[in-house]
Short mmCIF file of all heavy atoms in Angstrom, two decimals:
data_model
loop_
_atom_site.label_atom_id
_atom_site.label_comp_id
_atom_site.label_asym_id
_atom_site.label_seq_id
_atom_site.Cartn_x
_atom_site.Cartn_y
_atom_site.Cartn_z
N GLY R 1 -45.32 38.58 -55.18
CA GLY R 1 -45.06 40.01 -55.15
C GLY R 1 -44.00 40.45 -56.12
O GLY R 1 -43.63 41.63 -56.16
N ALA R 2 -43.49 39.51 -56.91
CA ALA R 2 -42.48 39.86 -57.91
C ALA R 2 -43.09 40.75 -59.00
O ALA R 2 -44.31 40.80 -59.17
CB ALA R 2 -41.91 38.59 -58.53
N MET R 3 -42.25 41.43 -59.73
CA MET R 3 -42.72 42.29 -60.80
C MET R 3 -43.43 41.47 -61.86
O MET R 3 -43.01 40.38 -62.21
CB MET R 3 -41.54 43.03 -61.44
CG MET R 3 -40.89 44.05 -60.53
SD MET R 3 -41.98 45.44 -60.20
CE MET R 3 -41.98 46.23 -61.80
N PRO R 4 -44.54 41.99 -62.40
CA PRO R 4 -45.25 41.26 -63.46
C PRO R 4 -44.49 41.31 -64.78
O PRO R 4 -43.58 42.12 -64.95
CB PRO R 4 -46.58 41.99 -63.55
CG PRO R 4 -46.28 43.37 -63.07
CD PRO R 4 -45.24 43.22 -62.01
N TYR R 5 -44.88 40.46 -65.69
CA TYR R 5 -44.30 40.41 -67.03
C TYR R 5 -45.40 40.70 -68.06
O TYR R 5 -46.55 40.33 -67.88
CB TYR R 5 -43.70 39.04 -67.31
CG TYR R 5 -42.34 38.83 -66.70
CD1 TYR R 5 -42.21 38.37 -65.40
CD2 TYR R 5 -41.18 39.10 -67.42
CE1 TYR R 5 -40.96 38.18 -64.83
CE2 TYR R 5 -39.93 38.91 -66.86
CZ TYR R 5 -39.83 38.45 -65.56
OH TYR R 5 -38.59 38.26 -65.00
N TYR R 6 -44.96 41.34 -69.15
CA TYR R 6 -45.89 41.68 -70.23
C TYR R 6 -45.27 41.32 -71.57
O TYR R 6 -44.05 41.39 -71.75
CB TYR R 6 -46.20 43.18 -70.24
CG TYR R 6 -46.90 43.68 -69.01
CD1 TYR R 6 -46.19 44.19 -67.92
CD2 TYR R 6 -48.30 43.65 -68.93
CE1 TYR R 6 -46.83 44.65 -66.79
CE2 TYR R 6 -48.95 44.12 -67.79
CZ TYR R 6 -48.21 44.61 -66.74
OH TYR R 6 -48.86 45.07 -65.62
N ALA R 7 -46.14 40.98 -72.52
CA ALA R 7 -45.68 40.87 -73.90
C ALA R 7 -45.33 42.25 -74.41
O ALA R 7 -45.95 43.25 -74.01
CB ALA R 7 -46.78 40.25 -74.76
N ASP R 8 -44.36 42.32 -75.30
CA ASP R 8 -43.93 43.62 -75.82
C ASP R 8 -45.10 44.36 -76.49
O ASP R 8 -45.17 45.59 -76.45
CB ASP R 8 -42.80 43.43 -76.84
CG ASP R 8 -41.49 43.05 -76.17
OD1 ASP R 8 -41.37 43.24 -74.94
OD2 ASP R 8 -40.60 42.55 -76.88
N SER R 9 -46.01 43.61 -77.09
CA SER R 9 -47.11 44.22 -77.84
C SER R 9 -48.12 44.94 -76.95
O SER R 9 -48.91 45.76 -77.45
CB SER R 9 -47.83 43.16 -78.65
OG SER R 9 -48.34 42.14 -77.81
N VAL R 10 -48.09 44.69 -75.64
CA VAL R 10 -49.07 45.32 -74.75
C VAL R 10 -48.43 46.19 -73.68
O VAL R 10 -49.15 46.85 -72.92
CB VAL R 10 -49.97 44.26 -74.07
CG1 VAL R 10 -50.62 43.35 -75.10
CG2 VAL R 10 -49.20 43.45 -73.04
N LYS R 11 -47.11 46.22 -73.61
CA LYS R 11 -46.43 47.04 -72.61
C LYS R 11 -46.83 48.50 -72.73
O LYS R 11 -46.88 49.05 -73.82
CB LYS R 11 -44.91 46.91 -72.77
CG LYS R 11 -44.32 45.66 -72.16
CD LYS R 11 -42.81 45.63 -72.34
CE LYS R 11 -42.23 44.35 -71.77
NZ LYS R 11 -40.76 44.27 -72.01
N GLY R 12 -47.13 49.11 -71.59
CA GLY R 12 -47.52 50.50 -71.58
C GLY R 12 -49.00 50.73 -71.81
O GLY R 12 -49.50 51.83 -71.61
N ARG R 13 -49.71 49.68 -72.24
CA ARG R 13 -51.15 49.81 -72.49
C ARG R 13 -51.97 48.93 -71.55
O ARG R 13 -53.08 49.29 -71.15
CB ARG R 13 -51.48 49.43 -73.94
CG ARG R 13 -50.79 50.28 -74.97
CD ARG R 13 -51.30 49.97 -76.39
NE ARG R 13 -51.05 48.59 -76.78
CZ ARG R 13 -52.00 47.74 -77.14
NH1 ARG R 13 -53.27 48.12 -77.13
NH2 ARG R 13 -51.68 46.51 -77.52
N PHE R 14 -51.46 47.76 -71.22
CA PHE R 14 -52.16 46.82 -70.36
C PHE R 14 -51.50 46.79 -68.99
O PHE R 14 -50.27 46.91 -68.88
CB PHE R 14 -52.12 45.41 -70.95
CG PHE R 14 -52.93 45.21 -72.20
CD1 PHE R 14 -53.47 46.28 -72.91
CD2 PHE R 14 -53.15 43.93 -72.69
CE1 PHE R 14 -54.21 46.09 -74.06
CE2 PHE R 14 -53.88 43.71 -73.84
CZ PHE R 14 -54.40 44.80 -74.53
N THR R 15 -52.30 46.56 -67.95
CA THR R 15 -51.80 46.43 -66.59
C THR R 15 -52.45 45.23 -65.93
O THR R 15 -53.69 45.14 -65.89
CB THR R 15 -52.08 47.68 -65.75
OG1 THR R 15 -51.50 48.82 -66.38
CG2 THR R 15 -51.50 47.52 -64.35
N ILE R 16 -51.64 44.32 -65.43
CA ILE R 16 -52.15 43.15 -64.71
C ILE R 16 -52.04 43.43 -63.21
O ILE R 16 -51.06 44.04 -62.75
CB ILE R 16 -51.40 41.86 -65.10
CG1 ILE R 16 -52.10 40.63 -64.52
CG2 ILE R 16 -49.93 41.92 -64.70
CD1 ILE R 16 -51.56 39.31 -65.07
N SER R 17 -53.06 43.01 -62.47
CA SER R 17 -53.05 43.20 -61.02
C SER R 17 -53.78 42.03 -60.38
O SER R 17 -54.42 41.24 -61.07
CB SER R 17 -53.71 44.52 -60.65
OG SER R 17 -55.06 44.55 -61.06
N ARG R 18 -53.68 41.96 -59.07
CA ARG R 18 -54.33 40.85 -58.36
C ARG R 18 -54.97 41.34 -57.08
O ARG R 18 -54.57 42.36 -56.52
CB ARG R 18 -53.30 39.76 -58.03
CG ARG R 18 -52.29 40.16 -56.99
CD ARG R 18 -51.25 39.07 -56.77
NE ARG R 18 -50.48 39.30 -55.56
CZ ARG R 18 -49.40 40.05 -55.48
NH1 ARG R 18 -48.95 40.64 -56.57
NH2 ARG R 18 -48.76 40.20 -54.34
N ASP R 19 -55.96 40.59 -56.63
CA ASP R 19 -56.60 40.82 -55.33
C ASP R 19 -56.48 39.52 -54.57
O ASP R 19 -57.21 38.56 -54.84
CB ASP R 19 -58.06 41.23 -55.52
CG ASP R 19 -58.72 41.60 -54.20
OD1 ASP R 19 -58.41 41.00 -53.16
OD2 ASP R 19 -59.58 42.51 -54.23
N ASN R 20 -55.55 39.48 -53.62
CA ASN R 20 -55.29 38.23 -52.90
C ASN R 20 -56.54 37.74 -52.16
O ASN R 20 -56.83 36.55 -52.14
CB ASN R 20 -54.15 38.43 -51.90
CG ASN R 20 -52.82 38.66 -52.60
OD1 ASN R 20 -52.77 38.95 -53.79
ND2 ASN R 20 -51.74 38.54 -51.85
N GLY R 21 -57.26 38.66 -51.56
CA GLY R 21 -58.43 38.27 -50.77
C GLY R 21 -59.54 37.68 -51.60
O GLY R 21 -60.31 36.85 -51.12
N LYS R 22 -59.62 38.08 -52.86
CA LYS R 22 -60.66 37.58 -53.74
C LYS R 22 -60.16 36.50 -54.68
O LYS R 22 -60.92 36.01 -55.52
CB LYS R 22 -61.24 38.73 -54.57
CG LYS R 22 -61.97 39.78 -53.75
CD LYS R 22 -62.56 40.86 -54.65
CE LYS R 22 -63.33 41.88 -53.82
NZ LYS R 22 -63.91 42.96 -54.68
N ASN R 23 -58.88 36.14 -54.58
CA ASN R 23 -58.29 35.13 -55.47
C ASN R 23 -58.58 35.47 -56.93
O ASN R 23 -58.98 34.60 -57.73
CB ASN R 23 -58.81 33.73 -55.12
CG ASN R 23 -58.46 33.33 -53.71
OD1 ASN R 23 -57.31 33.43 -53.29
ND2 ASN R 23 -59.46 32.91 -52.95
N THR R 24 -58.39 36.72 -57.26
CA THR R 24 -58.78 37.23 -58.58
C THR R 24 -57.61 37.98 -59.21
O THR R 24 -56.88 38.70 -58.52
CB THR R 24 -60.00 38.15 -58.46
OG1 THR R 24 -61.10 37.39 -57.95
CG2 THR R 24 -60.38 38.73 -59.81
N VAL R 25 -57.49 37.82 -60.52
CA VAL R 25 -56.51 38.57 -61.28
C VAL R 25 -57.26 39.43 -62.30
O VAL R 25 -58.32 39.02 -62.80
CB VAL R 25 -55.49 37.64 -61.98
CG1 VAL R 25 -56.17 36.76 -63.03
CG2 VAL R 25 -54.36 38.43 -62.61
N TYR R 26 -56.74 40.61 -62.56
CA TYR R 26 -57.38 41.55 -63.47
C TYR R 26 -56.43 41.91 -64.61
O TYR R 26 -55.21 41.86 -64.44
CB TYR R 26 -57.76 42.83 -62.73
CG TYR R 26 -58.65 42.61 -61.53
CD1 TYR R 26 -58.10 42.52 -60.25
CD2 TYR R 26 -60.03 42.48 -61.67
CE1 TYR R 26 -58.91 42.32 -59.15
CE2 TYR R 26 -60.84 42.27 -60.57
CZ TYR R 26 -60.27 42.20 -59.32
OH TYR R 26 -61.08 41.98 -58.22
N LEU R 27 -57.01 42.29 -65.73
CA LEU R 27 -56.22 42.83 -66.83
C LEU R 27 -56.90 44.10 -67.30
O LEU R 27 -57.97 44.04 -67.93
CB LEU R 27 -56.10 41.83 -67.97
CG LEU R 27 -55.16 42.26 -69.10
CD1 LEU R 27 -53.71 42.27 -68.62
CD2 LEU R 27 -55.30 41.33 -70.32
N GLN R 28 -56.30 45.24 -66.97
CA GLN R 28 -56.80 46.53 -67.44
C GLN R 28 -56.18 46.81 -68.79
O GLN R 28 -54.95 46.87 -68.92
CB GLN R 28 -56.43 47.63 -66.45
CG GLN R 28 -56.87 49.02 -66.89
CD GLN R 28 -58.37 49.18 -66.93
OE1 GLN R 28 -59.08 48.75 -66.04
NE2 GLN R 28 -58.89 49.81 -67.99
N MET R 29 -57.03 46.96 -69.79
CA MET R 29 -56.56 47.15 -71.16
C MET R 29 -56.97 48.54 -71.65
O MET R 29 -58.16 48.83 -71.77
CB MET R 29 -57.15 46.07 -72.08
CG MET R 29 -56.87 44.66 -71.60
SD MET R 29 -57.46 43.40 -72.74
CE MET R 29 -59.21 43.67 -72.63
N ASN R 30 -55.98 49.38 -71.88
CA ASN R 30 -56.22 50.74 -72.36
C ASN R 30 -55.66 50.91 -73.78
O ASN R 30 -54.86 50.08 -74.23
CB ASN R 30 -55.56 51.75 -71.43
CG ASN R 30 -56.11 51.71 -70.03
OD1 ASN R 30 -57.29 51.41 -69.81
ND2 ASN R 30 -55.27 52.00 -69.06
N SER R 31 -56.08 51.95 -74.43
CA SER R 31 -55.60 52.26 -75.79
C SER R 31 -55.69 51.03 -76.69
O SER R 31 -54.74 50.68 -77.40
CB SER R 31 -54.16 52.77 -75.75
OG SER R 31 -54.05 53.92 -74.93
N LEU R 32 -56.83 50.40 -76.65
CA LEU R 32 -57.00 49.15 -77.40
C LEU R 32 -56.91 49.38 -78.90
O LEU R 32 -57.34 50.43 -79.42
CB LEU R 32 -58.34 48.50 -77.04
CG LEU R 32 -58.33 47.78 -75.70
CD1 LEU R 32 -59.74 47.55 -75.19
CD2 LEU R 32 -57.59 46.45 -75.82
N LYS R 33 -56.35 48.38 -79.58
CA LYS R 33 -56.17 48.41 -81.03
C LYS R 33 -56.93 47.25 -81.66
O LYS R 33 -57.16 46.22 -81.01
CB LYS R 33 -54.69 48.29 -81.37
CG LYS R 33 -53.79 49.31 -80.70
CD LYS R 33 -52.32 49.02 -80.99
CE LYS R 33 -51.41 50.01 -80.31
NZ LYS R 33 -49.97 49.72 -80.59
N PRO R 34 -57.28 47.37 -82.93
CA PRO R 34 -57.96 46.25 -83.59
C PRO R 34 -57.17 44.95 -83.51
O PRO R 34 -57.76 43.86 -83.42
CB PRO R 34 -58.09 46.73 -85.04
CG PRO R 34 -58.19 48.22 -84.92
CD PRO R 34 -57.27 48.57 -83.80
N GLU R 35 -55.85 45.03 -83.49
CA GLU R 35 -55.03 43.82 -83.39
C GLU R 35 -55.06 43.17 -82.02
O GLU R 35 -54.51 42.09 -81.83
CB GLU R 35 -53.58 44.10 -83.80
CG GLU R 35 -52.95 45.30 -83.11
CD GLU R 35 -53.01 46.56 -83.95
OE1 GLU R 35 -54.09 46.84 -84.55
OE2 GLU R 35 -51.99 47.28 -84.00
N ASP R 36 -55.70 43.82 -81.05
CA ASP R 36 -55.90 43.20 -79.75
C ASP R 36 -57.12 42.27 -79.74
O ASP R 36 -57.36 41.57 -78.75
CB ASP R 36 -56.10 44.26 -78.66
CG ASP R 36 -54.85 45.10 -78.44
OD1 ASP R 36 -53.74 44.53 -78.42
OD2 ASP R 36 -54.99 46.34 -78.27
N THR R 37 -57.88 42.27 -80.83
CA THR R 37 -59.05 41.41 -80.92
C THR R 37 -58.64 39.94 -80.82
O THR R 37 -57.79 39.47 -81.57
CB THR R 37 -59.77 41.66 -82.26
OG1 THR R 37 -60.30 42.99 -82.26
CG2 THR R 37 -60.92 40.67 -82.44
N ALA R 38 -59.23 39.24 -79.86
CA ALA R 38 -58.88 37.84 -79.62
C ALA R 38 -59.77 37.28 -78.53
O ALA R 38 -60.49 38.02 -77.85
CB ALA R 38 -57.41 37.71 -79.20
N LEU R 39 -59.67 35.97 -78.37
CA LEU R 39 -60.26 35.31 -77.22
C LEU R 39 -59.20 35.29 -76.12
O LEU R 39 -58.10 34.78 -76.35
CB LEU R 39 -60.69 33.89 -77.59
CG LEU R 39 -61.56 33.11 -76.60
CD1 LEU R 39 -62.86 33.86 -76.32
CD2 LEU R 39 -61.85 31.73 -77.14
N TYR R 40 -59.50 35.89 -74.99
CA TYR R 40 -58.54 36.03 -73.90
C TYR R 40 -58.78 34.94 -72.86
O TYR R 40 -59.90 34.77 -72.37
CB TYR R 40 -58.65 37.41 -73.26
CG TYR R 40 -58.00 38.48 -74.08
CD1 TYR R 40 -58.56 38.90 -75.29
CD2 TYR R 40 -56.82 39.09 -73.66
CE1 TYR R 40 -57.95 39.87 -76.07
CE2 TYR R 40 -56.20 40.07 -74.42
CZ TYR R 40 -56.77 40.45 -75.63
OH TYR R 40 -56.17 41.42 -76.38
N TYR R 41 -57.71 34.22 -72.53
CA TYR R 41 -57.78 33.12 -71.59
C TYR R 41 -57.00 33.45 -70.32
O TYR R 41 -55.86 33.93 -70.38
CB TYR R 41 -57.18 31.85 -72.19
CG TYR R 41 -57.93 31.28 -73.35
CD1 TYR R 41 -57.60 31.63 -74.66
CD2 TYR R 41 -58.98 30.38 -73.15
CE1 TYR R 41 -58.28 31.11 -75.73
CE2 TYR R 41 -59.67 29.85 -74.22
CZ TYR R 41 -59.31 30.22 -75.51
OH TYR R 41 -60.00 29.69 -76.57
#
């Protein structure tokens, strides 16, 4: 339940969240830029 951490390059644009019941983590990515192009792990 601690505060999440973000890279400076995505702060204010990306939001990480979790669903404990589904054992799932999400990454909501808004205002995407060409430099966000990558393979996400």
Side-chain angles (χ1 to χ4, degrees):
M3 292 293 289
Y5 280 87
Y6 297 92
D8 287 343
S9 59
V10 306
K11 280 181 182 177
R13 300 188 298 122
F14 291 11
T15 303
I16 189 170
S17 61
R18 69 183 194 273
D19 185 325
N20 292 16
K22 295 182 178 180
N23 299 310
T24 298
V25 65
Y26 304 96
L27 186 68
Q28 178 66 44
M29 305 184 294
N30 298 329
S31 302
L32 282 162
K33 305 175 181 180
E35 50 263 45
D36 294 318
T37 294
L39 191 59
Y40 283 70
Y41 294 93

